[in-house]
Amino acid sequence: MSKILKWLVVILIFSIGGYMLAEWKMKHEIISFLERKVPDHINFSYDKLSINLLEGNIAFSDVAVVSLGKQTSSCEIRVNANELSIEGFSYWKILFQKSVYIKTLTLSTPHLHFKTCPKDPNNVVANKSNPINLLKEIFVEELKFESGVVEIWDANEEIELISVASLGLHLKDVATDPETITKYVPFTFSNYQIELAQFKAPLGEYENLQMASLVMNNSSIDMTDISLLTKYSKAELSKQITYERDHVSLTIPAISINDHNYVANKDSLQINFKEVKLIEPNLEIYRDKSPLEDFSTKPLYGTLLRRLPFKIAIDAILIQQGTIVYKEDAPNNVKAGALRFTNLNADINNLSNLTTVNNTVNIKLNANLMDAGALHLDWKFNVNDPHDSFLISGKLSNFYTEKLNDFLVPNLRTQTTGTIEQLYFTISGDEYTSSGDIKMRYEDFKFQLLNKERNGVKKVLSFIGNLFVNDGSKADENGFRYGTISVERTQHKSFFNYLWINLQDGLVDVLTSNGKKE
């Protein structure tokens, strides 16, 4: 063997040995670093550590992390993953530029388990975030969570608050530094993609929220098969409650959001959406009137928006081909009365609780009422008006009033006949009172009062009542009769009850007054 070949073999042996020694040294340094730098309240374990010095790759297999949540609002966080891999770790930057650079950080099939803190005032102080002293800048070119599972439980791990069957997360250009790490969002990033499947969460004591899928990136959010459902049956809910409460079934096949962004400032959050589109939402509400009536004040929508714990600004909400069914069941009714709105389309503009912009919310709605008439509404209110002033106008055309009997008979013990050819109204009001004008063109409009069992007509009372109902013959040259509206709001009832009693007051005035325009 020549001397050159011998030296090459020696150099090769020393190179391999040096590389293996360097890998061993690097492993030792990483293990030592984790032992020294991982806080006492975090337990980090793994089955195997692999290193490739030439490519700058580090991989931990069968990773397990348990944190007592000293830096978060969760009292316990457990993370298990098949692998935590780091690719493209830059030794040059950490040695000479005092920064950490990683090309790709991947957490494979992570299972994230969170447990919230018990409601104890002492824990509020104990769990306040402590400042994180970061000495170096950290930059990750690409961060990936692959096929993750998320569970968030209550303090006793008896109620699952949030569950996600599959979570995928892809962030680009993730960075933090000693200043950024102390902010509300402790890192920055550029492009991102989030995908989740089978999201579930309870909304309070009575309703559950579910979603089949969500895909979110810098420009759009797309959700499918969203549902908000009362967790009890109608009969079971009535047993659970003391006061009246709606049984809710809301399903939305698809929601899309375009051009969205979020602004975090200290402990506040602002959500901005350019356009939100709801495709074929179906809302069914059932109210059992047997429980006690709740006499607490119901705030109007402006007040509700002002009370939100975050700021929101939505330029436009589009509702396409929606359906709303409201059923009300009084005691001893055989069949619940139903009020139906179908083929509902709505444009909602400038839905915002910001104080720095014009806060007049504009709503335009078109729907079929009871599949028997076309309804149009224009509704405006100012979110920042402390009196909750509003202006609402509308039109109802070609409505066969017999269709309302499904709702009137069981709930108001009345039934009607005749046709409302055209009805126009304008109402202005606030949280206490409202007034307005109404005009109506109708034909052969009559009503009948029913007996207690709702299976017969109180002929005498119905006859007397119809004596005061003008048959529409005494109208202007266009066939309209006119009336006025003046109403005091029932504070413990909803805005839609407020709207209904306004229309009821106006209809009575049209039918029983002289019908002339004032």
Side-chain angles (χ1 to χ4, degrees):
M1 183 181 295
S2 65
K3 286 187 178 181
I4 295 177
L5 185 57
K6 288 180 180 179
W7 278 109
L8 288 175
V9 171
V10 171
I11 292 172
L12 181 60
I13 292 173
F14 272 96
S15 297
I16 295 173
Y19 178 80
M20 294 176 66
L21 180 62
E23 272 197 354
W24 176 85
K25 181 64 175 175
M26 178 60 73
K27 284 185 179 181
H28 178 76
E29 289 296 326
I30 291 174
I31 294 171
S32 176
F33 176 84
L34 293 174
E35 290 176 348
R36 288 183 290 105
K37 294 298 185 180
V38 174
D40 293 337
H41 66 276
I42 297 177
N43 180 24
F44 179 86
S45 62
Y46 55 92
D47 182 60
K48 183 181 178 181
L49 172 60
S50 303
I51 293 178
N52 186 321
L53 287 177
L54 296 178
E55 297 181 359
N57 297 343
I58 304 169
F60 299 89
S61 61
D62 294 330
V63 175
V65 180
V66 178
S67 171
L68 298 180
K70 297 295 183 181
Q71 299 287 345
T72 71
S73 60
S74 298
C75 280
E76 184 177 290
I77 302 173
R78 298 200 301 267
V79 180
N80 296 89
N82 286 351
E83 186 178 72
L84 171 62
S85 65
I86 297 171
E87 298 178 4
F89 182 85
S90 175
Y91 304 107
W92 177 268
K93 289 184 179 292
I94 196 169
L95 291 174
F96 298 102
Q97 297 183 8
K98 304 300 181 181
S99 64
V100 176
Y101 174 89
I102 297 170
K103 184 175 180 59
T104 306
L105 175 62
T106 304
L107 193 61
S108 300
T109 60
H111 188 140
L112 287 74
H113 183 109
F114 299 86
K115 185 175 75 173
T116 59
C117 296
K119 295 181 179 180
D120 185 345
N122 295 325
N123 276 327
V124 174
V125 177
N127 286 328
K128 280 186 176 180
S129 295
N130 298 317
I132 299 175
N133 297 317
L134 190 66
L135 301 178
K136 296 180 176 66
E137 295 180 352
I138 299 175
F139 182 85
V140 181
E141 190 172 319
E142 189 174 25
L143 187 149
K144 296 188 288 186
F145 278 38
E146 297 178 339
S147 303
V149 176
V150 179
E151 299 176 5
I152 301 178
W153 293 79
D154 71 335
N156 297 320
E157 292 194 83
E158 295 175 350
I159 301 174
E160 190 171 27
L161 303 177
I162 293 177
S163 69
V164 179
S166 178
L167 170 66
L169 175 65
H170 190 179
L171 301 179
K172 287 290 192 72
D173 303 327
V174 181
T176 189
D177 54 39
E179 181 182 355
T180 304
I181 197 72
T182 62
K183 294 183 178 179
Y184 184 79
V185 178
F187 57 90
T188 61
F189 53 89
S190 58
N191 296 334
Y192 69 93
Q193 175 98 356
I194 301 173
E195 299 180 7
L196 62 82
Q198 302 305 319
F199 172 91
K200 297 179 182 179
L203 293 182
E205 185 178 353
Y206 297 100
E207 285 81 35
N208 287 329
L209 175 66
Q210 298 184 23
M211 180 166 45
S213 69
L214 177 145
V215 178
M216 178 178 179
N217 54 41
N218 293 65
S219 60
S220 65
I221 304 173
D222 292 293
M223 295 170 274
T224 63
D225 294 333
I226 307 98
S227 64
L228 173 61
L229 306 173
T230 299
K231 64 179 69 174
Y232 303 105
S233 68
K234 294 171 183 167
E236 184 62 28
L237 178 64
S238 296
K239 295 177 183 178
Q240 294 282 337
I241 59 178
T242 303
Y243 296 96
E244 292 179 9
R245 183 182 181 87
D246 291 333
H247 184 280
V248 178
S249 174
L250 171 63
T251 58
I252 308 174
I255 297 177
S256 63
I257 300 173
N258 293 322
D259 193 3
H260 61 93
N261 65 78
Y262 312 87
V263 179
N265 183 15
K266 296 182 179 179
D267 292 333
S268 66
L269 177 65
Q270 179 179 323
I271 300 172
N272 303 305
F273 294 155
K274 185 73 173 179
E275 181 184 83
V276 179
K277 186 179 295 183
L278 287 73
I279 310 299
E280 298 182 2
N282 187 310
L283 174 61
E284 294 185 11
I285 300 174
Y286 171 84
R287 172 66 68 96
D288 183 1
K289 302 295 288 184
S290 298
L292 297 175
E293 188 170 0
D294 183 2
F295 287 98
S296 61
T297 299
K298 304 299 187 297
L300 298 183
Y301 291 103
T303 298
L304 290 174
L305 285 168
R306 290 195 300 274
R307 291 178 180 176
L308 285 176
F310 54 88
K311 297 299 182 182
I312 189 169
I314 305 177
D315 291 354
I317 300 176
L318 307 178
I319 300 175
Q320 299 180 349
Q321 302 298 310
T323 299
I324 298 176
V325 179
Y326 176 77
K327 294 182 180 180
E328 193 172 278
D329 195 6
N332 302 318
N333 278 349
V334 176
K335 177 183 177 183
L339 197 60
R340 297 188 308 278
F341 299 88
T342 58
N343 194 27
L344 186 150
N345 295 277
D347 291 349
I348 304 172
N349 296 300
N350 196 32
L351 186 67
S352 170
N353 59 4
L354 300 180
T355 58
T356 55
V357 297
N358 179 14
N359 287 85
T360 300
V361 179
N362 300 301
I363 301 172
K364 294 184 181 294
L365 181 148
N366 293 284
N368 293 330
L369 174 59
M370 305 297 286
D371 298 319
L375 175 67
H376 172 78
L377 289 179
D378 281 323
W379 177 13
K380 298 180 181 180
F381 62 93
N382 192 312
V383 174
N384 288 324
D385 182 356
H387 303 294
D388 285 334
S389 300
F390 66 89
L391 177 66
I392 187 166
S393 61
K395 173 184 176 182
L396 179 64
S397 304
N398 302 319
F399 183 66
Y400 300 98
T401 60
E402 290 92 336
K403 292 288 187 177
L404 265 182
N405 290 335
D406 284 349
F407 183 77
L408 296 177
V409 170
N411 295 295
L412 300 179
R413 286 168 55 191
T414 62
Q415 63 184 22
T416 65
T417 59
T419 302
I420 297 176
E421 295 177 355
Q422 286 185 318
L423 181 148
Y424 297 89
F425 63 88
T426 301
I427 303 166
S428 63
D430 55 29
E431 61 179 324
Y432 298 110
T433 61
S434 61
S435 60
D437 300 298
I438 187 170
K439 69 176 184 178
M440 183 168 70
R441 184 169 67 199
Y442 57 95
E443 182 179 352
D444 297 329
F445 185 87
K446 293 182 180 180
F447 73 90
Q448 295 174 317
L449 300 176
L450 304 180
N451 59 26
K452 187 175 181 180
E453 292 73 26
R454 296 169 174 80
N455 58 8
V457 176
K458 291 184 176 181
K459 295 183 179 180
V460 175
L461 290 177
S462 296
F463 174 75
I464 294 173
N466 282 310
L467 288 178
F468 294 96
V469 175
N470 191 286
D471 63 3
S473 59
K474 296 180 181 180
D476 67 8
E477 64 275 11
N478 295 315
F480 285 100
R481 286 177 56 82
Y482 297 82
T484 59
I485 298 170
S486 182
V487 163
E488 289 187 10
R489 182 190 170 212
T490 305
Q491 295 292 304
H492 66 275
K493 292 186 179 291
S494 69
F495 175 81
F496 293 102
N497 172 269
Y498 196 14
L499 175 60
W500 169 251
I501 62 176
N502 273 274
L503 292 175
Q504 187 180 50
D505 187 76
L507 285 170
V508 170
D509 197 53
V510 167
L511 295 171
T512 60
S513 68
N514 61 23
K516 293 182 180 180
K517 185 176 182 180
E518 296 182 357

